[in-house]
Amino acid sequence: MTEVLTSTNTHGLERDQLLSIDYYLRLTRTLEERLVALFRQAKVIGGLYRSLGQEGESVAAAFALDYKQGDVVQPLIRNMGAILVAGAKPADIIKQYMAKGDSPTRGRELNIHFGHPARDGFIGQISQLGDMIPVMAGITLAGRMQKKNLVGLAFIGDGGSSTGAFYEGMNFASVQQLPLVVVIEDNGFAYSTPTSKQTAAKTLADKAYAFGCAGETVDGNDVLAVYGAAKRAVDRARAGGGVTLLEVKTFRMKGHAEHDNQAYVEPELIEQWKAKDPVARYERVLLELGAATQDDFTRIQERVRHEVDVATDEAERSPMPKPEEATRGLFAGDGYWDA
Ligand SMILES: Cc1ncc(C[n+]2csc(CCOP(=O)(O)OP(=O)(O)O)c2C)c(N)n1
């Protein structure tokens, strides 16, 4: 299980799908850059959690799902790329970060803590690390009981995979052979704790032995390799083959959040990973394969910039929540969310 998979194979993806992946990679990066600008203008409420350097695995894994079949993504704070693939709107994400009154949670939750599995294709997350794995086991079990053929895709960090909830959820899902793919992100650090202090296992995929599920390790900055491995895992899950623990080896290029200057990370390490940037690498591979031209990338980047500008304008114009509504919509049944 220690072999790290890489790929220049397009795994049956058509040219428009390959370009679509590039669009989501660029959208994720540009939208986050815009959020940094808004954060520095004190317009973001709360923290800003970047996925710089990790966009590749997040987008590629989510691209392997079939949302028309009811598949569900469970993101964590660094998986904005995955929810964009599932259909999240940039304006909604900016409004969430600005806690606007017409954001999906109407100012009651922040950042990408929003989403409804049946409506959006992605689910709002609980902050408690590890707890989303039992939730996703529940969603995939419910899907099976309702005779839907849906697959769940859960993300968990190296730190999150040290929690009890992770082990319980993985064990239950594996025993039940649930259609669940768990992407376990080794991005080097959980806040300031290096992965070597999270686990004595050689790789995070080795944890699959304990659950009796499939486990694989893939180069998380190799977009096509992640897509290929995720697609295999999704197909296996849909065919009744149960859970896959898919480890992606990547790196968190920024601190835990914008307020963290990552002084605990060796600068040389950051430089080494900069050279492996997943977006630049993916575009290089597409050029080498003759699957795209520089003009394609320019067009995509112009489209992305325009969409992020339009979304920012919309979010900036949006009202803050009305103070008199602060106590509404907190419990089911008061009709607040039906309006
Ligand atoms: C049970 C629990 N303990 C602590 C925290 C505070 N916390 C939030 S994110 C984080 C680090 C998470 O690291 P990791 O799971 O590796 O994900 P990454 O931030 O690297 O993407 C911590 C300690 C929490 N949310 N839940």
Side-chain angles (χ1 to χ4, degrees), residues 78 127-129 157-160 185 187 189-191 252 256:
R78 267 175 250 294
S127 289
Q128 256 62 31
L129 294 176
D158 40 273
E185 299 172 314
N187 66 355
F189 288 87
Y191 223 120
R252 197 193 67 196
H256 178 69

Side-chain angles (χ1 to χ4, degrees), residues 8-28:
T8 49
N9 176 346
T10 53
H11 306 283
L13 290 166
E14 306 281 345
R15 187 182 123 84
D16 60 334
Q17 293 173 301
L18 293 167
L19 292 180
S20 178
I21 289 176
D22 188 62
Y23 162 77
Y24 286 115
L25 293 171
R26 287 285 172 193
L27 180 59
T28 307

Side-chain angles (χ1 to χ4, degrees), residues 235-253:
D235 290 348
R236 178 163 50 231
R238 209 180 308 280
V243 178
T244 299
L245 187 60
L246 179 60
E247 178 188 30
V248 293
K249 293 248 179 238
T250 184
F251 197 72
R252 197 193 67 196
M253 294 296 288

Side-chain angles (χ1 to χ4, degrees), residues 6 37 51 56 84 94 96 104-105 131 140 165 204 206 228 287 297 299 305 307 321 326:
T6 57
S51 66
L84 285 168
I94 302 174
Q96 276 287 122
T105 62
D131 282 17
T140 48
L204 298 176
D206 282 355
L287 289 175
F297 300 142
R299 239 180 332 101
R305 240 189 325 272
E307 288 177 3

Side-chain angles (χ1 to χ4, degrees), residues 294-309:
Q294 199 55 55
D295 282 351
D296 291 324
F297 300 142
T298 305
R299 239 180 332 101
I300 286 169
Q301 282 166 41
E302 282 168 0
R303 176 184 164 199
V304 160
R305 240 189 325 272
H306 174 70
E307 288 177 3
V308 172
D309 283 348

Side-chain angles (χ1 to χ4, degrees), residues 72-88:
V72 177
V73 172
Q74 170 258 298
L76 294 176
I77 44 175
R78 267 175 250 294
N79 301 113
M80 194 172 90
I83 65 166
L84 285 168
V85 171

